[in-house]
Amino acid sequence: MHKFKDHTYGFKTQFDPGTGLYIRSNVLDENGKDSGVEPFMAEMPHLLDIGIMGHCIHGASGLCVQAGVQCYQDGLNINQPNMPLRDYQGIIDQCKGAVCQVALGGRGDPDMHEDFEALLAYTREAGIVPNMTTSGYGLTPQKARWIRQYCGAAAVSWYRSEYTDKAINLLLDAGVHTNVHFVLGRQSLEEAIAIIEGKKIPPGIGRMIFLLHKPVGLGQKRNVLDILDPRVRHFFSLFNDADNCRIAGFDSCCVPGLLNMALKIHTASMEPCEGGRFSAYVTPDLQLLPCSFDQKQRWGVSLRNLSLREAWNSDQFEAFRNVMRARCPDCTLKEYCLGGCPVVPEIVLCGMIRGGNKNENQD
């Protein structure tokens, strides 16, 4: 068990690299007693999302488009160099003693990186757990074994294909804790409902994780969920059933929807947006962003000019945090969702009534 003390914001964290269990205390007072107040942020990110892939080798063939997934990194049109191993190592060196986990991604499958094993090995040697998401198209038995050796877990994107099933089976056969990532938008909503109602998640996986569709990159606005759509209310209400909660999970972008439409879920089990508070994203060319969905890099800071700690405490990151601080000042639910996504507020599933309180997000 790794133990971290945040000297700036006065709380403690424990992380088990074997199970992935992550525990964060409330803010502690000068006597070390629990204040009952959750910390807003950490002095360094605890999770770093690292975009090691600058291009997608499958992009030209349009696998995402064929699978009905609208790539928010626009791997169909953007072709940049992958992150060099030396740059990655420099980031990891700055993470020691602060970052618990890294998530490998970018504009393509991380298992297609030319130094894939070396990246994984260097991360583990630094005492940090790597995790990753892949379409599985180019996954091999050897790569699955590397993932088992070094990673805490892996996720396979739901591309509705033979290679999706093959990748899931390769990882499970190798003994990898495997989840499935499902992008939840208007076009996939009915499929998601059918999967949960029919308990049709692939056998052997940990959970099916629902990621809210964002109108970023190739993502189209017309695919954004509409809170007035009765299917949206029905989908989220399915998680008032504890059995459904055991087979599914959500990204933090879904929290407003859960707060408003899955009223039986305890709020303590929900984590609002961690971007710029406990997590950050590094682009292949070393721009630190509060969130990977900030594709226009409105809050970007170059790690070629500043250290990770300096960038984390920069004016740009503080401006991003201030968006969350200023949102929904009169709402009693603010502490649970922080007003939703600061990058693309049109995805925030709010405006519903919960407990007699109407929480409207007009940003």
Side-chain angles (χ1 to χ4, degrees), residues 99-275:
V99 175
C100 303
Q101 304 177 73
V102 297
L104 303 183
R107 200 172 290 110
D109 291 333
D111 49 292
M112 302 308 294
H113 194 284
E114 55 272 20
D115 294 308
F116 180 57
E117 184 188 16
L119 295 169
L120 296 180
Y122 197 84
T123 309
R124 268 294 186 174
E125 289 167 4
I128 300 166
V129 177
N131 302 295
M132 54 162 287
T133 303
T134 178
S135 73
Y137 187 81
L139 190 66
T140 66
Q142 177 61 73
K143 291 177 180 178
R145 288 192 290 270
W146 289 339
I147 294 168
R148 173 64 182 89
Q149 181 177 354
Y150 299 112
C151 290
V156 177
S157 299
W158 189 244
Y159 274 22
R160 306 163 178 84
S161 65
E162 291 183 4
Y163 60 82
T164 302
D165 296 334
K166 179 182 177 182
I168 292 172
N169 291 331
L170 275 176
L171 291 169
L172 291 176
D173 289 346
V176 178
H177 181 85
T178 306
N179 294 317
V180 168
H181 281 178
F182 185 110
V183 178
L184 187 66
R186 287 192 191 187
Q187 297 173 6
S188 63
L189 186 56
E190 291 184 9
E191 180 187 10
I193 291 171
I195 288 173
I196 296 302
E197 288 185 333
K199 306 291 192 294
K200 296 178 180 178
I201 67 169
I205 70 163
R207 295 191 180 209
M208 179 163 278
I209 310 297
F210 292 99
L211 314 176
L212 201 61
H213 168 83
K214 291 88 175 173
V216 178
L218 295 178
Q220 299 173 347
K221 287 188 177 181
R222 63 171 178 258
N223 198 26
V224 173
L225 292 185
D226 182 355
I227 195 170
L228 299 179
D229 185 338
R231 299 177 304 161
V232 173
R233 185 194 298 266
H234 176 62
F235 172 76
F236 283 100
S237 71
L238 292 174
F239 300 96
N240 288 314
D241 184 335
D243 287 340
N244 290 337
C245 292
R246 294 186 183 98
I247 63 174
F250 299 87
D251 65 1
S252 59
C253 307
C254 291
V255 166
L258 293 167
L259 280 171
N260 284 305
M261 292 171 274
L263 307 188
K264 292 185 180 180
I265 298 180
H266 198 292
T267 53
S269 67
M270 302 182 197
E271 182 71 55
C273 176
E274 294 188 328

Side-chain angles (χ1 to χ4, degrees), residues 25-47:
S25 77
N26 286 329
V27 175
L28 307 175
D29 64 21
E30 61 273 12
N31 298 315
K33 294 184 179 180
D34 189 332
S35 68
V37 177
E38 289 192 24
F40 177 76
M41 62 176 291
E43 60 187 4
M44 279 279 280
H46 292 175
L47 169 67

